[in-house]
Amino acid sequence: MSEHIHLLPLHRPSVTDAAAWHQVVAASMAHDVPGVPPPGPGHIHAQLTKPALDSHRLTWLATAADGTAVAVAGLRLFTSPGQDHLAELELHVTPAHRRLGAGSRLLSAAVAACRTESRRALITQTAAGSPGEAFCERWGFRRAMTLDHLLMRLDPTGAAAHLLQAADTEPPGYRLTGWTGTVPDRLADALAEAKNAMNDMPVGDLDYGSVAWDGDRVRAMAQVIADRGDTLLTTAAVHDDGTMAGYTEILLPRGTPARAQQYDTAVVPAHRGHGLGLWVKAAMVRRLRAEHPGVTEIETDNAEDNVHMLAVNHRLGFRSYRRTHQFQLDVPAP
């Protein structure tokens, strides 16, 4: 069967290509991570056609002899100076066509592209205990980090309801601010400095590199998110001296999603120990309830050794519901 699989590089993905991609991803996720909503067709079309931040993307579609899409692969090649050694792989195969060679051929194409692009590290993520985990181990990936995924329901009687009073308790010397989309110009540099604090977050044994943020980069990130139709919400703690001491971000996928995605939460090292992480996250939950009542739950993830943020999330009412593994393949030089 494997010789009948055709690989098609998608240089300019069409609406039809995106629809086929969506069908593969939806079937794969329904089998491997039931209960996790797949991205919608519009989200996937935007993902395939809109520019990403400090990276470019290679994509392949695998079809059977009758032209049916059976597998997809996307390779994100990072281009910023601190990460230009790195590539990230997303690979899905429909359950009915697994173990027939499509995934292996897509992986071979991705590894060849890594060599051509001089990338020494290829990372990917797969659900714990899933067929993807066994696939990675079979092809020589090493497990580099485990993520604990948590979910919080925003119903008024939820476990976090009584903790939302934390949003009303201002730590002395700090105030809350927030915005939708692009950061206000007056706060852009302060946000960039706070984002640089994320460079000390746990990354396990991943050769992840580092990112240097400045005002232009935070604006560019917000523009990328807006261009693909998603909404970015930010709530931040600002010190009396004007320093942004911490922040949290929530992504609302395009359309009317019931499940929001947690993006960054960070507290600058000099401001840790004041409960700012809990404060800004509680304020964000209150904001979601007021401004986006259609959102009924938030999903977040933390490295299993990030014990502080896991404790904050559990105090807010997040509950663990699944785990994923980050794998890395060390790509030999050509």
Side-chain angles (χ1 to χ4, degrees):
M1 179 70 174
S2 61
E3 65 267 24
H4 299 304
I5 298 295
H6 176 63
L7 296 193
L8 176 66
L10 301 179
H11 300 296
R12 294 180 179 176
S14 66
V15 173
T16 301
D17 294 330
W21 190 290
H22 174 260
Q23 289 178 347
V24 172
V25 171
S28 172
M29 291 183 63
H31 182 273
D32 295 343
V33 284
V36 178
H43 183 95
I44 284 180
H45 183 259
Q47 179 187 25
L48 293 176
T49 58
K50 300 295 185 181
L53 182 63
D54 291 343
S55 63
H56 64 275
R57 187 177 179 88
L58 302 177
T59 53
W60 297 267
L61 181 68
T63 59
D66 63 359
T68 302
V70 299
V72 297
L75 184 69
R76 184 181 179 189
L77 298 158
F78 294 82
T79 56
S80 61
Q83 293 188 310
D84 54 6
H85 65 285
L86 183 67
E88 184 175 28
L89 176 67
E90 176 189 2
L91 194 155
H92 294 275
V93 182
T94 56
H97 292 85
R98 291 178 178 175
R99 304 191 68 84
L100 297 174
S104 298
R105 290 189 59 189
L106 286 168
L107 176 60
S108 294
V111 171
C114 286
R115 291 197 177 103
T116 299
E117 298 279 348
S118 300
R119 307 305 162 116
R120 70 171 183 262
L122 175 62
I123 62 175
T124 193
Q125 180 172 300
T126 185
S130 71
E133 182 178 353
F135 177 85
C136 288
E137 291 171 346
R138 186 165 69 250
W139 289 104
F141 285 77
R142 58 182 174 82
R143 188 185 301 179
M145 183 169 66
T146 297
L147 295 174
D148 191 5
H149 292 251
L150 305 99
L151 200 64
M152 181 170 68
R153 303 195 185 281
L154 300 183
D155 58 284
T157 60
H162 69 285
L163 284 173
L164 290 182
Q165 61 184 325
D168 293 327
T169 308
E170 291 191 2
Y174 298 91
R175 60 180 174 83
L176 284 175
T177 189
W179 60 89
T180 299
T182 304
V183 59
D185 286 343
R186 70 182 188 282
L187 294 174
D189 291 338
L191 176 61
E193 290 182 16
K195 277 189 169 290
N196 284 321
M198 290 292 289
N199 283 326
D200 71 352
M201 70 178 180
V203 293
D205 294 323
L206 290 172
D207 185 7
Y208 196 72
S210 61
V211 175
W213 290 88
D214 58 22
D216 289 339
R217 193 172 195 273
V218 296
R219 294 186 191 93
M221 181 200 72
Q223 189 61 52
V224 165
I225 291 171
D227 286 346
R228 68 179 188 229
D230 298 336
T231 301
L232 182 67
L233 307 178
T234 307
T235 295
V238 179
H239 191 261
D240 286 345
D241 64 6
T243 301
M244 188 171 293
Y247 69 94
T248 189
E249 296 169 331
I250 287 286
L251 183 86
L252 305 179
R254 64 187 298 164
T256 53
R259 181 177 295 186
Q261 299 292 327
Q262 179 75 62
Y263 264 31
D264 290 351
T265 297
V267 177
V268 175
H271 296 275
R272 291 173 183 169
H274 301 288
L276 299 182
L278 180 64
W279 187 41
V280 296
K281 287 174 77 73
M284 178 63 85
V285 170
R286 174 163 290 177
R287 180 180 172 187
L288 279 173
R289 284 178 164 171
E291 299 178 10
H292 300 277
V295 175
T296 60
E297 53 192 11
I298 304 171
E299 180 175 356
T300 189
D301 61 70
N302 300 113
E304 65 176 358
D305 56 351
N306 191 352
V307 293
H308 175 72
M309 192 55 67
L310 280 168
V312 168
N313 284 329
H314 282 299
R315 282 189 63 193
L316 274 169
F318 283 91
R319 295 293 177 260
S320 300
Y321 84 110
R322 66 186 183 101
R323 301 171 84 210
T324 59
H325 298 309
Q326 295 269 2
F327 283 90
Q328 178 171 318
L329 181 67
D330 300 317
V331 181

